[in-house]
Amino acid sequence: MNSRRAAVVAVIILILLASALFCVRSYNERFHESEGQSEIGLLVGEQLTEDGFPNESSRLWVYGNANEDDVIDDADVSYLLGVLSGDNPETVLSDANCDGVVDSDDIVYVERLISEDEMEVFYVDNYYRIASVSWPVERIAIGYCSGAYVADLTGLTGKVVLVDETIRDYWSSMSSSFRDAGCFGATEAPNYETMIAADIDVYVVGYCDANADQISPSSLNPVGIDVMFISTSDNSGVDIPNENIDRSVLMFAYLLQGDMSKTYSYLDWHDRYLDLMAEATSKIPEDEREAMIMTRISALYSTGTYSITGKDNTNNIHAEWVGVDAVGQHSEMLTKNYQDLNLESLVMLILDSQRNGRVFLVDNAHDGMRHQYDLGACLEADAELLSQLEDVEVVHLGMAREMGNSPLYIVEMAFYVCTMYPDVAESIGLDYTELFREYFQLFASEEYWLNLDVEDFFLVLQE
């Protein structure tokens, strides 16, 4: 093909693409005038199986994200044009209007998503079900530290009109909006009448709860309130690991129409440090990995049993990502997210799990902004409890529970690296205390963090 012919072909292709997009936009205008498509949202409520998930590398599991990257933009319109022409493979998220068919209507729907139209937006929630939320979103109810931290990060505090008891009691200093908001009660037993009276648009659960989550949609959907099961926290009574906190952060921001520029800045920051830590710790030989056990109940307030994190607990997953032998991920004694052990069983677990004569015991207590317990006192009590152990060295670490249940989990992983692999941390210039401050400097919406003491969040018991 000579250069002149190639130029002519290129022009023709551009004309065809422009014509297609013009038709799409023209049809879009007609669609605003008459929304008669009753099949829209037909798939809502469908449970996805693992082989039907969107691309795992994608963090924006929203229908219309046809090329399954982290943004919905004109590239998705172009991708859908390629799907219709047969040039691109159909993806899970290509069906933008969730009617079960990928066709020209989906291109119209993506155009509406890009323009942030008044519309239904479809997505995959933390139960891996197809769900929807109505735009615009102006008034929301949120719960637990996961909701507080993510709303703060994603620029959504101004939309919060109701909070749960934990935000009211422990995290209200994060935002004037939280202090002014009403309270809907506990995440496990929310007051639906309060939510209805407050005229909220969306109730975002603090964490998935096996009992309440069966009731919330039927109580709120009939009066036009959406229930969104997207959070960064471990779940209660639900056997689904919540390992994709970065995905939850982006979904939270996009679906609730938050500050996307700030959210993408966080994801860049997140990726930079996660990649740095994962790369450095990947070089640690298997037989040199440090063993970590995490307890959720200190000897300070235990009644004789100790809640230990087990299989697919969020904290264990994070520890494994940075080269730690998280005992809960493989121990036959710890097959659930968390379970109770008596002292004898805990000692047996420590002895069986030691690596090179050492175990790191992390007390995952409610300190931090919550200040329900004091990390220092918890660690001292744990050390006294296990002081008679002679065959293994127990290194006592403390971490506020909210760190693993929030966007600050990057600092959680840095804490593991700095305390368990100090040489690795030094080689990459990693300091968890500096990273802790950096997060708030970059992403906090108010200056509450200036009064925070890092030792309320992360602590190493000194001998």
Side-chain angles (χ1 to χ4, degrees):
M1 181 180 295
N2 61 39
S3 58
R4 178 177 294 179
R5 184 179 178 186
V8 171
V9 170
V11 169
I12 292 173
I13 290 174
L14 287 173
I15 292 172
L16 289 174
L17 282 173
S19 299
L21 287 173
F22 176 79
C23 291
V24 165
R25 288 182 169 88
S26 298
Y27 184 68
N28 195 9
E29 293 303 315
R30 295 200 305 274
F31 187 81
H32 291 322
E33 297 173 6
S34 177
E35 297 189 21
Q37 301 192 30
S38 60
E39 296 299 304
I40 288 177
L42 181 67
L43 302 182
V44 168
E46 181 176 306
Q47 181 77 52
L48 300 186
T49 57
E50 190 168 353
D51 58 357
F53 288 172
N55 191 311
E56 286 289 340
S57 66
S58 172
R59 290 185 281 212
L60 192 60
W61 284 17
V62 175
Y63 287 86
N65 183 18
N67 62 4
E68 298 192 347
D69 58 5
D70 284 350
V71 63
I72 295 179
D73 55 15
D74 285 338
D76 296 293
V77 175
S78 298
Y79 189 90
L80 280 172
L81 287 169
V83 171
L84 298 183
S85 69
D87 293 330
N88 293 334
E90 182 180 316
T91 63
V92 173
L93 300 179
S94 294
D95 186 8
N97 63 6
C98 252
D99 66 353
V101 180
V102 177
D103 55 21
S104 59
D105 291 342
D106 295 301
I107 300 177
V108 175
Y109 222 78
V110 172
E111 289 279 337
R112 298 182 66 202
L113 286 169
I114 294 170
S115 64
E116 298 186 19
D117 203 354
E118 182 176 341
M119 62 189 299
E120 289 293 304
V121 183
F122 306 103
Y123 64 96
V124 182
D125 68 15
N126 282 15
Y127 280 107
Y128 302 111
R129 289 189 304 234
I130 300 176
S132 69
V133 64
S134 299
W135 279 0
V137 175
E138 297 172 348
R139 297 168 63 82
I140 62 177
I142 61 171
Y144 200 50
C145 61
S146 52
Y149 277 106
V150 181
D152 181 47
L153 164 65
T154 56
L156 285 162
T157 56
K159 295 186 179 185
V160 176
V161 297
L162 287 177
V163 297
D164 76 341
E165 293 172 348
T166 65
I167 296 178
R168 179 197 64 191
D169 295 344
Y170 304 119
W171 292 291
S172 61
S173 63
M174 292 177 69
S175 167
S176 55
S177 294
F178 296 167
R179 294 190 289 276
D180 295 339
C183 179
F184 64 79
T187 292
E188 297 89 346
N191 188 318
Y192 300 116
E193 292 181 359
T194 299
M195 293 185 185
I196 294 169
D199 193 29
I200 63 170
D201 298 314
V202 186
Y203 167 43
V204 190
V205 302
Y207 49 84
C208 293
D209 179 83
N211 297 317
D213 293 356
Q214 298 298 316
I215 302 169
S216 295
S218 60
S219 299
L220 297 175
N221 290 166
V223 295
I225 298 174
D226 295 315
V227 182
M228 195 171 94
F229 299 112
I230 297 284
S231 84
T232 62
S233 177
D234 265 326
N235 304 313
S236 178
V238 178
D239 190 24
I240 299 176
N242 197 354
E243 61 186 291
N244 301 112
I245 287 180
D246 53 338
R247 182 184 300 155
S248 291
V249 168
L250 181 55
M251 295 279 283
F252 198 104
Y254 184 83
L255 294 171
L256 298 176
Q257 298 183 289
D259 185 337
M260 297 308 297
S261 176
K262 187 180 177 187
T263 301
Y264 285 119
S265 293
Y266 165 79
L267 292 175
D268 289 341
W269 179 87
H270 163 285
D271 292 349
R272 183 168 72 255
Y273 282 109
L274 179 56
D275 292 345
L276 178 69
M277 290 185 284
E279 171 65 22
T281 56
S282 68
K283 300 179 177 64
I284 299 171
E286 182 71 24
D287 60 356
E288 294 181 16
R289 295 177 64 190
E290 297 286 3
M292 183 196 86
I293 297 171
M294 179 170 285
T295 177
R296 303 171 74 252
I297 295 181
S298 169
L300 181 68
Y301 54 96
S302 169
T303 58
T305 58
Y306 304 87
S307 178
I308 309 297
T309 60
K311 178 68 173 175
D312 285 340
N313 177 273
T314 302
N315 302 110
N316 290 334
I317 292 170
H318 297 164
E320 293 270 318
W321 286 351
V322 289
V324 177
D325 172 24
V327 173
Q329 282 300 92
H330 57 77
S331 172
E332 294 181 356
M333 298 174 66
L334 304 171
T335 57
K336 297 183 295 183
N337 192 3
Y338 36 83
Q339 51 269 287
D340 292 339
L341 300 181
N342 59 28
L343 178 57
E344 181 181 2
S345 297
L346 176 58
V347 168
M348 183 184 303
L349 179 67
I350 291 172
L351 293 173
D352 290 346
S353 304
Q354 62 178 298
R355 285 290 189 102
N356 302 314
R358 180 163 63 179
V359 167
F360 286 80
L361 183 67
V362 183
D363 196 322
N364 194 212
H366 277 314
D367 197 352
M369 291 188 70
R370 185 161 176 161
H371 286 308
Q372 189 173 356
Y373 300 102
D374 178 82
L375 281 183
C378 287
L379 295 189
E380 289 173 2
D382 295 342
E384 177 63 26
L385 177 74
L386 300 170
S387 61
Q388 302 305 312
L389 272 176
E390 298 179 351
D391 298 328
V392 59
E393 176 191 3
V394 180
V395 181
H396 293 276
L397 307 178
M399 183 179 72
R401 198 172 297 177
E402 62 203 70
M403 292 297 91
N405 290 326
S406 74
L408 278 150
Y409 81 107
I410 291 296
V411 189
E412 171 202 359
M413 288 187 282
F415 179 61
Y416 298 148
V417 176
C418 291
T419 54
M420 300 183 200
Y421 305 117
D423 291 343
V424 172
E426 183 178 2
S427 72
I428 58 176
L430 186 68
D431 183 328
Y432 71 88
T433 62
E434 292 180 2
L435 196 60
F436 178 81
R437 291 293 179 183
E438 183 178 315
Y439 170 87
F440 290 106
Q441 288 172 343
L442 292 173
F443 306 116
S445 58
E446 297 182 19
E447 293 188 341
Y448 63 91
W449 60 274
L450 293 173
N451 299 317
L452 300 182
D453 184 346
V454 69
E455 290 195 349
D456 292 333
F457 295 82
F458 300 99
L459 188 64
V460 181
L461 182 65
Q462 302 299 322
E463 295 182 358

